[in-house]
């Protein structure tokens, strides 16, 4: 199967229903919100790792990024466009810390159909996307931790390892 | 799915690769969580069933398909409308049983299995079993009890992917006993 074949599409409802089953399944096997997010992030990491090669090949002719800012822009623009049909809303660097960046998304796709119960209000299914971004960065040679937070919509907080910024 | 979300997502499409890989991540996770393939197949079927039960409402709201008068019409709607709408493919309908209560869907390509290779130690895993559950669940909501299973699968070395569907019975809408 050709990697550069014209993109095929499936219905958003199909994805929404599948994702919701995944969240429910994970929920049935964990005891806390943080465990649940951990599980979602794990699954996201798996997806991200497989997508990286495909997207690099297709969008960038197989060329890899070596600069932090460029890889972040690649994620914000190309990756987001091809996965979610639009760019991420914002990319920001923390004022007080050069290792920390934020990708801000007002209404992330994975949260569109999930209503968060009050007693678990810290839950953010964007943990799945965070895992994806983390795998993307790590496998591109920029080890990082990515976590999802409720802040100006959903914010993915990216914390690079010391070594990444030092070089 | 609620009416509201229907409106906002009116037949929106998305990248199938994200869908495919997300499904892959689910199957991988299930393989880790359960001891054997049989359990994974069962779990996939169960999740598919839950999806089907909700999917049918979405489907009936979007398509203007009315009630199917016989199983042949049902087959056509599944292959030509439903598969197209949700997965972007149109399987062919073949191998009708003489009684007209059994047929096969032949999938030229299965969006769930792009990029997938089954490792040897999972040779009894029915990778796309979620589809069977979804078909069963959706049809049950329109009062049809149907047996759905994979008869052939390209992932396991067959030439085509074939889903076999067998009509079992019409589900009567019976009132609970003593509630007349």
């Amino acid at each position: 199967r050709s990697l550069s074949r014209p993109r095929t599409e499936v219905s958003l409802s199909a994805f929404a229903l599948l994702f919701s089953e995944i969240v429910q399944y994970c929920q049935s096997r964990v005891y806390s919100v943080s465990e649940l997010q951990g599980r979602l992030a794990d699954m996201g990491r798996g997806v991200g790792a497989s997508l990286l090669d495909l997207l690099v090949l297709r969008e960038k002719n197989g060329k890899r990024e070596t600069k932090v800012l460029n890889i972040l822009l690649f994620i914000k623009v190309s990756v987001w466009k091809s996965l979610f049909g639009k760019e991420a809303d914002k990319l920001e660097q923390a004022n007080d810390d050069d290792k920390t960046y934020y990708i801000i998304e007002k209404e992330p796709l994975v949260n569109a159909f999930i209503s968060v119960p009050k007693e678990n209000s810290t839950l953010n299914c964007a943990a799945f996307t965070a895992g994806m971004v983390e795998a993307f960065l790590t496998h591109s040679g920029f080890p990082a931790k990515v976590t999802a937070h409720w802040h100006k919509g959903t914010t993915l907080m990216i914390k690079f390892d010391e070594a990444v910024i030092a070089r | 799915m609620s009416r509201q979300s229907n409106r906002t997502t009116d037949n929106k499409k998305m990248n199938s690769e994200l869908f495919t890989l997300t499904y892959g991540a689910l199957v991988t996770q299930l393989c880790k969580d359960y001891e054997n393939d049989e359990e994974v197949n069962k779990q996939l079927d169960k999740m598919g069933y839950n999806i089907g039960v909700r999917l049918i409402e979405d489907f009936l709201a979007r398509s203007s398909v009315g009630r199917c008068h016989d199983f042949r019409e049902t087959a056509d709607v599944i292959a030509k409308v439903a598969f197209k709408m949700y997965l972007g493919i149109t399987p062919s309908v073949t191998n009708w049983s003489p009684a007209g209560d059994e047929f096969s869907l032949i999938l030229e390509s299965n969006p769930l299995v792009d990029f997938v290779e089954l490792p040897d130690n999972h040779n009894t895993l029915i990778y796309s079993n979620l589809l069977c559950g979804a078909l069963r669940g959706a049809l049950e909501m329109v009062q049809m009890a149907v047996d759905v299973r994979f008869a052939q699968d390209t992932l396991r070395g067959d030439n085509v992917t074939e889903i076999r569907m067998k009509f079992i019975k019409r589900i009567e809408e019976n009132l609970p006993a003593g509630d007349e």
Side-chain angles (χ1 to χ4, degrees):
Chain A
R1 197 174 262 275
S2 156
L3 288 176
S4 52
R5 83 202 134 103
R7 278 202 353 222
T8 51
E9 297 191 311
V10 298
S11 142
L12 192 55
S13 327
F15 180 78
L17 287 166
L18 174 67
F19 191 72
S20 128
E21 272 306 308
I22 290 177
V23 174
Q24 287 176 52
Y25 168 74
C26 290
Q27 197 169 22
S28 72
R29 298 183 68 97
V30 297
Y31 299 103
S32 72
V33 172
S34 60
E35 268 184 281
L36 172 55
Q37 302 206 102
R39 259 185 175 244
L40 288 174
D42 271 344
M43 292 173 80
R45 274 192 276 274
V47 174
S50 338
L51 268 176
L52 175 65
D53 287 334
L54 182 69
L55 289 173
V56 167
L57 190 70
R58 192 180 298 155
E59 309 277 338
K60 306 194 64 78
N61 282 326
K63 280 208 200 80
R64 300 271 185 155
E65 296 293 353
T66 53
K67 295 211 168 70
V68 170
L69 195 57
N70 290 355
I71 185 87
L72 287 172
L73 280 172
F74 172 61
I75 290 176
K76 173 187 187 269
V77 180
S78 310
V79 173
W80 238 254
K81 259 198 183 147
S82 95
L83 296 184
F84 307 119
K86 63 185 271 294
E87 283 183 30
D89 292 326
K90 277 195 196 120
L91 173 65
E92 289 178 1
Q93 181 175 16
N95 291 326
D96 50 352
D97 182 5
D98 58 1
K99 295 193 295 297
T100 308
Y101 289 81
Y102 304 104
I103 292 179
I104 300 171
E105 180 79 12
K106 282 200 202 75
E107 292 173 353
L109 180 74
V110 286
N111 282 351
F113 307 96
I114 311 281
S115 46
V116 181
K118 282 227 172 57
E119 65 271 23
N120 293 343
S121 56
T122 50
L123 169 69
N124 196 328
C125 295
F128 181 79
T129 332
M132 244 160 65
V133 172
E134 185 176 308
F136 248 93
L137 290 169
T138 304
H139 291 280
S140 309
F142 302 92
K145 285 266 164 286
V146 183
T147 45
H149 305 271
W150 291 111
H151 177 69
K152 299 185 193 166
T154 289
T155 297
L156 302 181
M157 182 167 76
I158 303 170
K159 271 192 185 298
F160 286 107
D161 285 8
E162 294 280 353
V164 174
I165 302 300
R167 71 185 173 214
Chain B
M1 199 168 293
S2 75
R3 199 164 269 270
Q4 185 123 39
S5 61
N6 277 344
R7 216 171 285 150
T8 49
T9 64
D10 213 11
N11 259 335
K12 271 201 189 141
K13 299 280 176 200
M14 67 169 290
N15 182 328
S16 69
E17 282 143 6
L18 181 58
F19 179 74
T20 303
L21 290 166
T22 304
Y23 184 71
L26 169 67
V27 179
T28 313
Q29 188 63 48
L30 291 178
C31 289
K32 274 187 219 151
D33 290 347
Y34 290 97
E35 301 216 328
N36 60 52
D37 293 350
E38 282 308 310
E39 290 293 315
V40 176
N41 294 342
K42 235 186 253 167
Q43 182 64 29
L44 282 173
D45 182 78
K46 193 171 120 200
M47 294 174 82
Y49 179 83
N50 295 341
I51 291 178
V53 167
R54 298 172 67 190
L55 190 80
I56 188 73
E57 288 187 32
D58 185 74
F59 175 73
L60 292 175
R62 276 169 210 277
S63 63
S64 43
V65 176
R67 195 161 263 282
C68 292
H69 297 289
D70 57 20
F71 203 43
R72 279 180 192 269
E73 205 181 326
T74 311
D76 268 353
V77 169
I78 291 172
K80 298 206 179 98
V81 189
F83 264 88
K84 177 111 192 90
M85 186 184 289
Y86 291 104
L87 297 176
I89 52 168
T90 312
S92 48
V93 179
T94 55
N95 292 342
W96 277 100
S97 64
D101 64 345
E102 245 183 281
F103 68 90
S104 293
L105 293 169
I106 307 288
L107 280 67
E108 304 264 313
S109 67
N110 177 354
L112 291 181
V113 305
D114 288 347
F115 318 120
V116 175
E117 245 177 73
L118 283 188
D120 291 338
N121 55 349
H122 284 295
N123 48 18
T124 51
L125 175 70
I126 309 171
Y127 187 85
S128 317
N129 210 29
L130 188 103
L131 283 182
C132 294
L135 285 163
R136 190 165 56 82
L139 289 172
E140 200 171 297
M141 292 299 113
V142 287
Q143 278 84 47
M144 290 171 124
V146 178
D147 178 64
V148 188
R149 65 196 161 76
F150 275 89
Q152 298 188 73
D153 193 341
T154 44
L155 274 186
R156 307 215 251 165
D158 296 319
N159 287 327
V160 289
T161 298
E162 175 184 356
I163 299 177
R164 190 78 180 147
M165 315 232 337
K166 181 177 167 55
F167 180 80
I168 303 171
K169 61 168 186 177
R170 212 158 183 93
I171 301 167
E172 300 295 337
E173 286 188 79
N174 43 1
L175 295 164
D179 190 35
E180 285 177 77

